[in-house]
Amino acid sequence: MSNNKKFETLAVRTQTETSQFSEHSVPLYLTSGFVFDDAEEMRASFAEEKQRDLYSRYSNPNVNEFVDKVCLMEGAEAGFAFASGMAAVFSTFGTLLDAGDHVVSCSSVFGATHGLFTKYFPKWNIEYSYFNVNEVDKIESLIKPNTKFIYAETPTNPGVDVLDLDLLSAICKKHGLLLVIDNCFATPYLQNPIKHGADLVIHSATKLMDGQGRVLGGVTVGNKELIREIYLFSRLTGPAMSAFNAWVLSKSLETLAVRTDKHCENALKLATFLEGHPKVTWVKYPFLKSHPQYEVAKKQMKLGGNIIAFEVEGGIKGGQAFFDSIKMCSLSANLGDTRTIVTHPASTTHAKVEPEVKAAAGITDGLVRVSVGLEHVDDVIADIEQALENI
Ligand SMILES: *Cc1c(COP(=O)(O)O)cnc(C)c1O
């Protein structure tokens, strides 16, 4: 599919070649291996003189379709798909980093990513330095001769802070570093970090890409030489996405734009409601004028996303009273589902994170994260309103 088409068209029309059965919807290619005509074809294929599928740990028609689609959506040259978002994060890091390297990262990163930095990097002699989202002017002072890349999520989890991609990319260019962005919260529909200078973009496809809380998946896209390295690493280490998950996810991407539009519309309405509520100390949503990085969000995002962070009165007690009063919304750790999910990071995803790291990431005891779903927004607001009244 030529990439001069619009996002929605690419999402719907990028498909694996039709088989001899002329199916309209792409079938599921559940096969671990592929066959060869003769010894020469097999030799040429393994020698990569011939481009074709060999074994589903390397590539598979369903996975290829998913990857091609994400590449078109992100404006990327190439990509590789993984079993989960964390497999994408880990395999990207594992490919890029050598013992003795250093990473500069935003301090508010996904809990498991923080776990990689703190628990496993030391054993490979890899160092990291965190910068606070509100202190981007200090990033340059953290760069060392052995720094390999700058890593960031924007909007961040769970604080919903926004980082200026043009600024990060300018710092990377100046110091000869790679820029790696976890674009999970924004989705390729709302934000394309490569257009702002990122070298690699990572997604957990488990979230809005699937959008219905069914399967896990991850993907890294970007510069083709780097993706080639990631492919070689992954071909040996085996974190590949399954054909089934790729099939589900590629179909989900067909509706990413319409779903995300509605998610964002609902989220803005809920955020606006929360902003005026007496039991709410503050609300953070990228497209609210009160967001500290509102201008940056407007510059680099199409809409504000579906995640809202807000703080309820009364600290941990207030948070618990709020959660215990929720009737319809789900108390869960996932996000980007059709069902609205409320999470209490202080007692769940970030419970094991050190207090000073939590503070630096803006995670207070009363912080609530909402992943706004596709129910009618009036019902979501009504549920949250009655729970706030019980604080
Ligand atoms: C969920 C998430 C991940 C990890 O993805 P999984 O698919 O759960 O492994 C990474 N980064 C961000 C920002 C996430 O929200």
Side-chain angles (χ1 to χ4, degrees):
M1 165 116 310
S2 80
N3 56 7
N4 57 7
K5 298 264 193 315
K6 301 260 190 276
F7 186 95
E8 292 80 351
T9 313
L10 294 169
V12 171
R13 290 282 167 187
T14 304
Q15 286 188 303
T16 291
E17 219 177 294
T18 311
S19 80
Q20 78 266 33
F21 298 113
S22 308
E23 68 280 349
H24 193 199
S25 170
V26 174
L28 175 51
Y29 289 96
L30 281 185
T31 178
S32 38
F34 300 85
V35 290
F36 305 92
D37 288 341
D38 50 35
E40 171 50 23
E41 195 199 5
M42 194 157 176
R43 185 208 60 77
S45 304
F46 274 85
E48 298 192 338
E49 289 162 22
K50 187 172 173 173
Q51 280 303 312
R52 51 156 291 166
D53 296 312
L54 307 177
Y55 187 57
S56 287
R57 171 151 41 82
Y58 307 173
S59 70
N60 167 285
N62 294 119
V63 178
N64 300 345
E65 177 184 295
F66 171 76
V67 170
D68 289 349
K69 217 178 258 193
V70 178
C71 286
L72 288 169
M73 289 176 159
E74 284 287 12
E77 293 171 345
F80 191 83
F82 300 90
S84 69
M86 280 321 298
V89 173
F90 178 70
S91 304
T92 303
F93 287 0
T95 303
L96 297 179
L97 294 168
D98 294 316
D101 280 347
H102 172 252
V103 177
V104 171
S105 168
C106 170
S107 61
S108 49
V109 287
F110 187 66
T113 307
H114 170 74
L116 286 182
F117 285 134
T118 51
K119 193 160 177 226
Y120 292 102
F121 275 23
K123 81 172 188 174
W124 295 308
N125 191 26
I126 293 166
E127 300 175 302
Y128 70 95
S129 304
Y130 275 160
F131 65 88
N132 187 297
V133 280
N134 302 311
E135 296 176 342
V136 286
D137 51 322
K138 298 212 175 118
I139 296 176
E140 286 197 77
S141 67
L142 300 173
I143 296 171
K144 303 184 192 187
N146 57 341
T147 306
K148 204 57 158 294
F149 58 84
I150 293 184
Y151 183 76
E153 294 175 14
T154 180
T156 62
N157 181 25
V160 201
D161 286 297
V162 173
L163 285 160
D164 188 336
L165 291 167
D166 293 321
L167 177 91
L168 294 180
S169 144
I171 296 172
C172 287
K173 295 260 149 27
K174 182 171 161 197
H175 295 271
L177 306 176
L178 297 173
L179 178 60
V180 183
I181 299 292
D182 181 335
N183 199 29
C184 171
F185 272 33
T187 80
Y189 178 59
L190 300 179
Q191 173 175 282
N192 295 133
I194 290 171
K195 293 185 184 138
H196 296 271
D199 299 282
L200 290 170
V201 172
I202 299 175
H203 282 284
S204 164
T206 315
K207 313 296 168 55
L208 275 176
M209 279 193 178
D210 174 47
Q212 288 143 91
R214 301 166 299 182
V215 300
L216 297 183
V219 62
T220 301
V221 300
N223 169 285
K224 64 176 185 302
E225 283 83 32
L226 295 172
I227 294 295
R228 167 86 186 149
E229 294 304 315
I230 292 171
Y231 164 74
L232 292 173
F233 178 86
S234 306
R235 195 176 139 135
L236 290 184
T237 53
M241 176 181 277
S242 77
F244 178 76
N245 287 10
W247 179 81
V248 171
L249 290 166
S250 185
K251 291 192 187 300
S252 302
L253 288 180
E254 295 183 17
T255 57
L256 181 68
V258 277
R259 286 188 284 109
T260 305
D261 275 337
K262 191 67 186 174
H263 275 289
C264 295
E265 181 192 321
N266 287 354
L268 182 60
K269 281 187 186 152
L270 176 62
T272 307
F273 162 79
L274 289 167
E275 212 172 23
H277 199 285
K279 296 272 176 71
V280 174
T281 1
W282 54 259
V283 186
K284 239 193 255 169
Y285 181 69
F287 270 36
L288 277 185
K289 288 212 176 67
S290 58
H291 192 288
Q293 294 100 16
Y294 172 73
E295 293 302 331
V296 178
K298 279 274 178 182
K299 179 182 71 166
Q300 66 193 28
M301 294 176 77
K302 189 176 160 81
L303 294 163
N306 82 317
I307 312 289
I308 303 171
F310 66 98
E311 191 182 52
V312 296
E313 272 190 351
I316 208 104
K317 274 215 167 101
Q320 277 163 348
F322 172 80
F323 279 90
D324 285 340
S325 306
I326 286 287
K327 292 199 174 106
M328 179 188 78
C329 299
S330 314
L331 309 184
S332 174
N334 193 25
L335 58 96
D337 196 306
T338 48
R339 282 163 276 273
T340 298
I341 295 169
V342 288
T343 313
H344 191 212
S347 69
T348 57
T349 49
H350 290 69
K352 294 200 191 85
V353 175
E354 306 74 20
E356 59 282 5
V357 177
K358 263 199 304 221
I363 299 159
T364 59
D365 287 345
L367 178 77
V368 177
R369 187 191 74 189
V370 192
S371 163
V372 183
L374 297 179
E375 304 95 337
H376 196 289
V377 68
D378 291 351
D379 293 324
V380 176
I381 291 176
D383 191 26
I384 289 183
E385 181 170 33
Q386 63 81 28
L388 285 170
E389 273 153 21
N390 284 322
I391 292 176

